[in-house]
Amino acid sequence: MIRDFEYFAPKTLKEALTLLDKYQDECKVIAGGQSLLILMRQGLVAPQYLIDIKGLSELSYIKSDTKEGLKIGALTTHRAIEKSPLIRKKFSVLAEMERRLASIQTRNWGTIGGNLCHADPAGDPAPVLIALNATLSMASLKGERSMPVEDFCLDYFETALEVGELLTEIQLPATPPHTGTAYTKFNVIESDLATVGVAVSITLGAGDGVCQDIRIALGAAAPTPMRAKKAEAVLRGKKITDNLLKEAGEVASTGAEPISDIYASEGYRRELVRVLVTRVGKEALARAKQA
Amino acid sequence: MSQYSVIGTRVHRVDGLEKVTGSAKYTFDIVLPNMLYGKILRSPHPHAKILNIDTSQAEKLIGVKAVVTGKDTLGKKQGIWRRFPELCDEEILCREKVRYIGDPVAAVAAIDEDTAEEALDLIDVEYEPLPAVFDPMEAIKEDAPQIHDGVELNINVTRHIEWGDVDEAFKKCDHIREDQFKCSSQAHMCMETHDAVASYSYDGKLTVWTSTQSSYYIQRLLADILDLREGDIRVIKPPTGGGFGSKFELDSAQFCASVLSMKLCKPVKIVLTREEEFTATKRRTPMYYYLRLGAKKDGTLLAKEVRVITDGGAYTGMGATALYLTGFFSSFPYKYPNYRYDGYRVYTNTAPTSAMRGFGAPQSTFVGESQLDMMAEDLGIDPIELRRKNGMTPNYEVPGQAYIQSCGLHQCLDKIEEHIKQRGKLPPNHGIGIAAYGFMSGGIFNWFDTPYAFSAAIVRINIDGKVDLFTGACDIGQGSDTTLSMICAEELGVHLEDIRIYSGDTGICPADLGAWGSRETLMNGNAVKMAAADAKRQLLEFAGAKLGANIVYDMDIKDRWVHLVDRPERGVSYFDIVKEAIRGKDGEVIIGRGHYTPHRKGMISPAYSFGVQAAEVEVDPETGRYKLVNVTTAHESGTVINPVGIEGQLEGAIMMAGGYGFCEDQPMDEGKILNPSIADYKLIRSLDMPETKILEIDTYEPEGPFGAKEAGEGLTNPTAGAIANAVYKAVGVRINNLPITPEKVLRALREKQKQKR
Amino acid sequence: MKKELKLTVNGQPYELYVEPKTLLVQVLRDHLGLTGTKRGCNCSSCGACTVMLDGMAVKSCSILAMQANGTEVLTVEGLATGVQLHPLQEAFLDHGAFQCGFCTSGMLMSAKALLAENPKPTKEQIKEGIDGNMCRCTGYNSIIRAVTAVVKGEYKEEK
């Protein structure tokens, strides 16, 4: 059951930050609440003060920036991202990922910011954003700061957000030419949480087909979403072949830190990393060639 | 043209309008004046002595009206196998000992749910944990902790079935296979959890509204445990959100709500949480199987030996039936000249295992059909041919056990064979596996020890021709209200909308054993048909006089027209006859009575339905993951009364049985279920559901109303076996323990690759 | 301390005072007596509590009532117009797209939301549309057939 709390629905970001500054770690922020309410109903989280920021429409937007990148407000819903013509055109992998995230009902109300702040290592958005080299911004009364998404998650359900800080925006840099990004998650039931998730982004050189840059991000393979940097090194600067993709998969598998739980053993998760890095890498390569 | 006017037609469910408009009031929705809300405190230990329970702090909490423990009850044990008192081993509110994590120890009634929940935290229970055992193979050892007093080696029930001479027969076989299997548990996952509103009045009468498969069983069991007269208890079944075998025993919500209400003389409502539903209600019986099968090289099956240990969990429940039926259905659907089954149900300190759709037959079909495919491969015989050679036929006697009248198994095999041929060449990594089954239409052995007929119905005809049908049969979603109304309308010769059904209310309906074992259509259908015929006879008495026909002519009613069968143009309106009949009988209400108990049909079932299912899977050999592409079922269930209902039952069965084979599981650690939530307990959803195809085979069952027999439970038998066989056909690995997960498939594929080198 | 909550449900405006911890589903069921919307789990997975909020399908057990302040909510009770059923309700009846009925309210709302957004969904999109709704009785295919029939125009257009 949910314990009683004092409730605030600030109308502006400034108001919200002021409340956060006032109540420090005695308060919790609720956006869509699709993750938080489950914890509160089960009595696992029981804040004295609840700051409801769902109404801050100023943080809900998807817009191009001057350099052809994209800015997404933290309170943008999953569904808005899934259906955005802009995102489908420029960052289609994000829309694909959203399409298999939980259910439509969850996506209609839950927000991308809320998802990232929940920091479930099996979450879908983080690996994709990491592969897209995304950054995010946080604000507090003291000011703003930014960091790469891949530095945001510190541990299971723990982020770099400090007391008094609110996630405000996610930034996607412009996609370099000849870049392809793909994401897949393994699960037994469609739309279920990832048993393992893999996102790969490959940028090819113009005309020579050499891998100029590559980013491999894994979900549910470690306490936080992780970059498989050693696996990337296998492919970076080389002409990508099937064998190299296989090798990258093996290196990623060895470097991952998956757990054993009731859904899969550690060994099986490693197998999945190996197979999926190769597969998703192939898909990303194909997309890069088309781009 | 059909000889029937109502049965066999596609109709709206009679409870459809209230369900699609959200106006159906389930127990979950009931709110009564002065109603209190209850919650149950449960044991966190798998096995422990209760030293002391201090409820004083909880009682002091503002809003709490009563706290009860086992000391507030009569200390009686109850169980659904009433015929055998030693199997009535569950007190529900434990007094001295708890035997599984979730065993109730106290209950609270308060002004709202939150207060009741808060009160639970204030109840102080002092336990002395005892050594516990979780594996039936361990529990059966000499040094295992004893779970119930006087039960040696924790062996709760044993069962032996035998005919012929199995040992001699094995000597004559050309080929013998020995295989072992493990069948997992499964959660019913009814959308409506167990719930009850109990209201005890000052004049000593108890009324209980509850989500149940048998209001009569609950009435009788409450009477036993509370020492009330059966007639002072009224159990009412509102629209019910699913049962699947979980809701015909007395459960903690019903019992605790009743005890609390009796203390306070106020209504008390208890709704189990989804977590309690997973951990503290009964579940499918896990089974360890050893099978030995012997055949001649031409494929004639000569002998089958089966040994099973079932994991009973902490109490008997309906587990004795599951033990028996799994042994009986291990011989289905083939003619074994020699057969032997030995089953042992063993207590463990886990959530009790009991009845779940299929009742031991999904397990026996999974293991039997897997082994049969393996035998077919060994002998070099086509799997359909092997089944054809040995399959049951109409009018077959299972030696000393049962007599099978109608049986369409062979037509089902033919249809499936045709389906597979039509499918043609399969893409790579695809495989089609088949499984055949047979299942009962209700059980005969009277383990409940009821003195009543197994089914009964009353028909009352009103002056305007509207018919009231009273029956104890319980519609839990499977559609018995509609099916029985259709049978009544057909027999009486009126339209479906002329029937109004009152069901599952012990206060006004005659007893029926309830919705389990797929019995309602055949057993209650027979009672309804008899009652309708009785009422019709009374009407025809007056029609005879009115029409003044020659004595050689028969009369009947069809489409609201009372007429001479051979001269249908000579007749009179049903509505007119009703008026005349009532007037002519001194204003007496026309009442028809019917009942049915199977006689001289053996001890198992009066009729059996059969089918063959083909499942097509597509396996990803790199991850072991597979998709259920298509499930095609050829089945026969006698005359189809309610076609929309049967289709729904079949597709729903595929979801449930497919889940049993594919993804549903309850992993445990030291008796604790690790995934007690819908997020963690994996179920097939709309995106995972395969394409389904139904191939209906026409048969006629003489024992059933208009020739009908079961459909709905038998259909949960074949899917796990069909999936196992399909995966083998697709990628050449066989998984002998459920569920067949991608990880198991991949592991098996790696093993296979290793062996090749 | 109770807070003021103003929302419209099935076209009717309401002014309530609720504890902030109250969930939208509790307002609908317990405060307004609209028991058509059900609850089947405690982890936002079953979808039995699905309603439409400002035109979107949402799980009412996973939304604080205060977040519905100023919004328009549609529940299953708002589908029919008097005794005139909504085409989806007619289709569900015709196709036997429900059995025990406990998931049906949520299922209908998800289907309505789907068609409101996309009047001509493909079969795959229909499956996606109801994937957040658990059903233990039907095996989903009859529900998909019912929605498909509505998409094909087999039922009168709603006003």
Side-chain angles (χ1 to χ4, degrees):
Chain A
M1 67 181 220
I2 305 181
R3 309 273 161 177
D4 282 306
F5 51 79
E6 223 183 297
Y7 173 83
F8 301 95
K11 297 203 177 39
T12 65
L13 177 58
K14 180 110 192 273
E15 240 179 88
L17 293 177
T18 309
L19 286 163
L20 268 138
D21 185 65
K22 179 170 178 196
Y23 292 112
Q24 297 281 304
D25 55 16
E26 291 196 307
C27 72
K28 263 249 173 243
V29 168
I30 186 168
Q34 300 302 286
S35 301
L36 183 63
L37 277 177
I38 300 177
L39 300 173
M40 288 178 73
R41 279 198 316 253
Q42 292 174 356
L44 296 170
V45 167
Q48 242 192 305
Y49 307 95
L50 194 69
I51 320 290
D52 183 355
I53 61 168
K54 179 74 169 151
L56 295 182
S57 48
E58 64 185 276
L59 289 183
S60 177
Y61 54 84
I62 301 171
K63 54 190 183 206
S64 288
D65 74 11
T66 48
K67 298 188 209 121
E68 293 282 307
L70 215 64
K71 287 189 205 283
I72 305 175
L75 288 178
T76 310
T77 64
H78 294 286
R79 191 76 166 144
I81 294 173
E82 182 189 343
K83 302 180 74 183
S84 154
L86 198 50
I87 286 189
R88 281 185 173 178
K89 188 155 166 241
K90 297 217 167 130
F91 295 93
S92 61
V93 65
L94 265 181
E96 287 157 23
M97 172 273 296
E98 291 288 12
R99 197 169 159 203
R100 278 291 182 266
L101 187 148
S103 62
I104 290 182
Q105 293 99 313
T106 308
R107 301 202 291 278
N108 273 333
W109 204 251
T111 64
I112 185 106
N115 180 286
L116 289 173
C117 292
H118 185 59
D120 186 336
D124 299 298
V128 177
L129 291 170
I130 292 171
L132 291 171
N133 205 5
T135 50
L136 45 78
S137 298
M138 300 161 276
S140 71
L141 282 185
K142 295 196 209 101
E144 257 195 37
R145 61 187 182 116
S146 295
M147 66 170 60
V149 172
E150 75 187 75
D151 294 337
F152 186 62
C153 297
L154 302 178
D155 206 341
Y156 293 104
F157 307 102
E158 212 186 291
T159 69
L161 271 180
E162 277 162 17
V163 170
E165 266 187 324
L166 209 61
L167 181 67
T168 52
E169 186 182 82
I170 296 132
Q171 301 98 14
L172 298 168
T175 310
H178 312 296
T179 298
T181 312
Y183 173 72
T184 251
K185 66 176 164 183
F186 180 92
N187 49 26
V188 169
I189 302 295
E190 301 279 342
S191 295
D192 203 4
L193 268 182
T195 307
V196 159
V198 174
V200 179
S201 185
I202 291 177
T203 304
L204 299 174
D208 61 2
V210 166
C211 171
Q212 262 193 8
D213 198 10
I214 175 165
R215 300 171 70 82
I216 301 176
L218 308 177
T224 66
M226 64 172 276
R227 284 268 303 277
K229 291 193 171 152
K230 289 202 179 121
E232 292 172 2
V234 170
L235 297 164
R236 193 176 281 113
K238 311 217 183 69
K239 189 135 191 217
I240 300 181
T241 61
D242 278 350
N243 277 336
L244 277 182
L245 281 169
K246 255 176 116 181
E247 197 189 321
E250 271 155 28
V251 172
S253 173
T254 313
E257 307 154 32
I259 55 166
S260 280
D261 61 18
I262 57 175
Y263 311 114
S265 68
E266 182 203 322
Y268 187 58
R269 284 199 160 94
R270 284 193 193 281
E271 270 297 290
L272 292 173
V273 168
R274 188 179 64 75
V275 170
L276 292 180
V277 164
T278 305
R279 269 192 200 167
V280 180
K282 252 194 197 128
E283 175 66 31
L285 179 64
R287 291 183 182 192
K289 284 183 180 159
Q290 276 176 0
Chain B
M1 230 207 55
S2 168
Q3 52 176 166
Y4 302 122
S5 330
V6 182
I7 66 177
T9 61
R10 301 185 75 83
V11 301
H12 289 181
R13 288 178 65 105
V14 300
D15 57 2
L17 281 168
E18 55 173 11
K19 285 179 177 174
V20 299
T21 54
S23 51
K25 289 267 184 267
Y26 297 74
T27 307
F28 188 75
D29 304 316
I30 292 178
V31 175
L32 296 176
N34 299 318
M35 189 175 81
L36 300 167
Y37 295 82
K39 283 275 174 192
I40 299 169
L41 184 66
R42 300 176 181 277
S43 166
H45 301 289
H47 199 199
K49 279 200 196 131
I50 300 173
L51 297 176
N52 188 47
I53 305 181
D54 180 359
T55 60
S56 57
Q57 292 307 308
E59 286 169 48
K60 287 196 194 115
L61 185 66
I62 296 179
V64 169
K65 299 300 176 191
V67 183
V68 296
T69 67
K71 293 217 174 81
D72 297 288
T73 69
L74 297 171
K76 292 177 126 195
K77 294 191 181 184
Q78 58 82 45
I80 198 163
W81 265 63
R82 295 169 74 244
R83 185 113 173 233
F84 299 85
E86 70 274 18
L87 297 181
C88 298
D89 54 11
E90 201 174 353
E91 317 174 273
I92 304 187
L93 269 178
C94 301
R95 301 177 88 180
E96 274 155 30
K97 211 163 90 132
V98 291
R99 294 179 176 85
Y100 73 99
I101 298 177
D103 220 349
V105 297
V108 172
I111 52 170
D112 57 50
E113 260 189 277
D114 281 355
T115 306
E117 208 177 312
E118 223 183 299
L120 292 185
D121 285 335
L122 297 173
I123 300 175
D124 189 16
V125 185
E126 221 183 303
Y127 293 101
E128 182 192 308
L130 299 166
V133 63
F134 310 109
D135 184 337
M137 302 301 204
E138 294 299 310
I140 210 169
K141 294 189 176 151
E142 286 278 347
D143 56 352
Q146 194 178 52
I147 299 175
H148 286 268
D149 287 340
V151 181
E152 298 291 317
L153 301 181
N154 291 311
I155 297 177
N156 168 218
V157 192
T158 61
R159 203 73 187 119
H160 178 82
I161 304 175
E162 182 166 8
W163 64 81
D165 186 337
V166 153
D167 299 312
E168 273 309 303
F170 274 123
K171 292 182 190 153
K172 302 199 183 88
C173 293
D174 294 323
H175 186 63
I176 297 176
R177 277 202 67 98
E178 279 181 33
D179 295 284
Q180 289 185 306
F181 299 85
K182 183 156 181 266
C183 299
S184 48
S185 187
Q186 189 179 15
H188 305 81
M189 244 307 297
C190 308
M191 288 308 292
E192 184 186 12
T193 59
H194 287 65
D195 49 19
V197 177
S199 184
Y200 187 74
S201 55
Y202 285 98
D203 64 353
K205 296 190 174 53
L206 177 67
T207 307
V208 180
W209 291 263
T210 181
S211 185
T212 182
Q213 295 172 230
S214 175
S215 33
Y216 164 62
Y217 279 172
I218 305 308
Q219 178 196 29
R220 184 63 249 167
L221 291 168
L222 278 172
D224 287 347
I225 201 175
L226 296 171
D227 222 7
L228 292 175
R229 293 177 77 172
E230 198 176 285
D232 283 333
I233 301 178
R234 179 176 182 184
V235 178
I236 301 171
K237 180 206 73 71
T240 286
F244 311 115
S246 68
K247 291 179 181 167
F248 60 100
E249 301 175 57
L250 184 63
D251 64 58
S252 57
Q254 294 153 346
F255 180 59
C256 293
S258 299
V259 171
L260 285 164
S261 185
M262 286 175 79
K263 191 159 186 195
L264 297 165
C265 280
K266 286 204 166 87
V268 177
K269 178 177 186 177
I270 297 185
V271 177
L272 294 196
T273 64
R274 183 55 68 184
E275 190 182 337
E276 284 177 291
E277 192 75 5
F278 275 115
T279 57
T281 61
K282 301 188 165 79
R283 58 200 177 97
R284 189 184 286 287
T285 309
M287 299 183 178
Y288 294 74
Y289 252 88
Y290 164 82
L291 293 182
R292 195 167 174 227
L293 182 66
K296 303 279 288 172
K297 56 176 179 269
D298 69 353
T300 310
L301 298 172
L302 277 190
K304 185 168 181 179
E305 182 183 0
V306 182
R307 287 206 299 271
V308 177
I309 290 189
T310 75
D311 182 346
Y315 300 101
T316 308
M318 280 297 293
T321 307
L323 182 76
Y324 186 73
L325 291 180
T326 205
F328 177 68
F329 286 110
S330 281
S331 75
F332 264 58
Y334 308 105
K335 298 177 179 176
Y336 290 102
N338 305 278
Y339 180 82
R340 181 166 66 216
Y341 164 78
D342 283 289
Y344 303 85
R345 186 176 192 272
V346 181
Y347 285 125
T348 59
N349 291 114
T350 62
T353 67
S354 188
M356 182 168 173
R357 199 171 177 187
F359 233 149
Q363 294 93 319
S364 65
T365 309
F366 163 66
V367 309
E369 293 299 290
S370 293
Q371 189 182 50
L372 208 64
D373 255 29
M374 293 193 258
M375 177 61 88
E377 194 180 36
D378 290 348
L379 298 176
I381 296 179
D382 173 73
I384 292 188
E385 201 44 50
L386 184 60
R387 287 167 171 87
R388 200 175 261 137
K389 197 174 182 69
N390 298 280
M392 285 176 174
T393 49
N395 305 308
Y396 169 71
E397 189 193 322
V398 182
Q401 299 289 319
Y403 187 72
I404 291 160
Q405 289 194 89
S406 67
C407 169
L409 178 64
H410 285 258
Q411 296 97 301
C412 293
L413 283 166
D414 292 341
K415 276 268 178 204
I416 288 295
E417 189 173 42
E418 204 184 297
H419 158 78
I420 296 176
K421 252 196 206 109
Q422 275 176 7
R423 181 76 181 97
K425 185 160 192 280
L426 295 173
N429 296 318
H430 278 238
I432 297 183
I434 63 167
Y437 76 89
F439 198 69
M440 62 202 251
S441 302
I444 299 178
F445 182 63
N446 190 359
W447 34 262
F448 191 75
D449 207 25
T450 182
Y452 297 119
F454 282 9
S455 287
I458 296 171
V459 160
R460 174 178 71 191
I461 305 184
N462 296 290
I463 191 74
D464 60 358
K466 187 83 186 207
V467 180
D468 293 318
L469 170 62
F470 300 91
T471 169
C474 289
D475 194 329
I476 45 170
Q478 91 286 37
S480 57
D481 275 0
T482 305
T483 305
L484 295 172
S485 298
M486 291 172 85
I487 289 174
C488 186
E490 184 69 51
E491 180 62 32
L492 201 44
V494 298
H495 294 177
L496 184 58
E497 65 256 31
D498 294 321
I499 312 292
R500 181 181 179 164
I501 185 166
Y502 295 83
S503 65
D505 180 342
T506 63
I508 57 174
C509 307
D512 176 84
L513 300 188
W516 54 269
S518 213
R519 57 181 298 285
E520 296 290 30
T521 298
L522 189 143
M523 296 206 189
N524 205 280
N526 276 338
V528 168
K529 187 164 188 278
M530 182 176 162
D534 186 18
K536 184 165 72 175
R537 183 190 46 77
Q538 294 172 57
L539 293 180
L540 292 181
E541 271 170 27
F542 284 87
K546 190 162 177 99
L547 293 173
N550 192 300
I551 195 70
V552 303
Y553 288 125
D554 261 338
M555 279 182 300
D556 200 3
I557 311 177
K558 211 169 173 79
D559 201 15
R560 296 167 164 172
W561 181 243
V562 184
H563 61 281
L564 308 185
V565 174
D566 290 333
R567 296 271 155 89
E569 68 280 6
R570 275 181 67 187
V572 63
S573 156
Y574 157 80
F575 295 105
D576 289 343
I577 290 298
V578 166
K579 291 196 179 74
E580 304 227 348
I582 292 174
R583 207 171 289 130
K585 271 179 97 171
D586 215 19
E588 218 180 281
V589 183
I590 302 173
I591 291 185
R593 298 165 60 171
H595 63 277
Y596 174 82
T597 306
H599 289 296
R600 295 191 311 277
K601 292 270 171 282
M603 273 295 126
I604 301 165
S605 184
Y608 302 83
S609 294
F610 294 83
V612 182
Q613 194 167 77
E616 182 177 334
V617 303
E618 180 188 352
V619 184
D620 176 356
E622 282 195 293
T623 63
R625 189 184 198 243
Y626 58 95
K627 251 178 59 176
L628 296 173
V629 175
N630 176 290
V631 177
T632 296
T633 315
H635 86 114
E636 54 96 16
S637 46
T639 303
V640 174
I641 308 275
N642 180 0
V644 177
I646 284 196
E647 284 158 20
Q649 284 290 291
L650 173 57
E651 289 180 328
I654 290 172
M655 179 267 185
M656 189 171 277
Y660 187 49
F662 170 56
C663 53
E664 294 185 39
D665 197 11
Q666 292 194 292
M668 284 199 210
D669 181 35
E670 306 270 291
K672 186 171 171 150
I673 292 175
L674 298 173
N675 60 343
S677 79
I678 300 185
D680 299 323
Y681 182 84
K682 305 301 175 192
L683 296 136
I684 290 177
R685 291 177 178 261
S686 65
L687 282 173
D688 313 291
M689 188 68 188
E691 293 294 312
T692 56
K693 193 155 138 212
I694 306 170
L695 303 166
E696 204 73 55
I697 304 293
D698 249 321
T699 53
Y700 185 92
E701 171 51 51
E703 188 66 14
F706 299 108
K709 48 182 178 170
E710 86 87 28
E713 199 172 344
L715 293 162
T716 36
N717 294 358
T719 318
I723 290 176
N725 289 338
V727 169
Y728 183 74
K729 283 262 152 90
V731 289
V733 295
R734 187 164 276 291
I735 310 299
N736 284 355
N737 66 84
L738 294 174
I740 301 171
T741 61
E743 183 165 349
K744 287 179 188 167
V745 173
L746 187 64
R747 203 164 278 159
L749 283 169
R750 295 275 177 269
E751 266 308 306
K752 194 166 161 225
Q753 278 168 359
K754 258 197 219 146
Q755 279 169 14
K756 273 202 183 142
R757 292 189 204 126
Chain C
M1 207 188 79
K2 292 195 179 176
K3 294 237 175 241
E4 190 186 35
L5 170 66
K6 283 185 171 159
L7 75 170
T8 305
V9 182
N10 299 332
Q12 175 108 322
Y14 290 95
E15 212 174 281
L16 306 162
Y17 285 85
V18 301
E19 294 289 349
K21 69 177 185 178
T22 311
L23 302 167
L24 177 58
V25 66
Q26 289 171 312
V27 164
L28 297 171
R29 286 181 54 85
D30 305 333
H31 296 238
L32 302 182
L34 297 167
T35 57
T37 307
K38 309 294 182 203
R39 294 182 78 168
C41 76
N42 202 22
C43 59
S44 308
S45 295
C46 76
C49 65
T50 304
V51 300
M52 279 175 71
L53 189 153
D54 283 349
M56 301 179 289
V58 295
K59 290 177 188 164
S60 61
C61 77
S62 307
I63 296 186
L64 285 180
M66 290 310 297
Q67 288 194 337
N69 197 30
T71 66
E72 277 188 36
V73 176
L74 187 70
T75 71
V76 67
E77 288 92 345
L79 277 186
T81 316
V83 291
Q84 175 65 44
L85 294 181
H86 187 278
L88 282 168
Q89 291 169 309
E90 300 264 17
F92 269 49
L93 282 167
D94 285 344
H95 290 83
F98 61 95
Q99 292 177 33
C100 85
F102 205 75
C103 78
T104 305
S105 305
M107 204 58 89
L108 281 165
M109 299 319 292
S110 282
K112 174 148 170 81
L114 169 74
L115 296 183
E117 247 183 50
N118 176 7
K120 295 273 178 224
T122 61
K123 193 166 172 188
E124 188 69 15
Q125 286 170 327
I126 296 174
K127 285 185 175 191
E128 281 174 8
I130 62 168
D131 194 62
N133 293 71
M134 180 99 258
C135 174
R136 196 50 158 164
C137 297
T138 65
Y140 307 103
N141 289 354
S142 56
I143 298 170
I144 294 163
R145 289 194 289 269
V147 178
T148 303
V150 174
V151 169
K152 281 195 182 143
E154 288 173 27
Y155 296 88
K156 274 208 310 278
E157 285 294 332
E158 52 177 304
K159 299 178 200 99

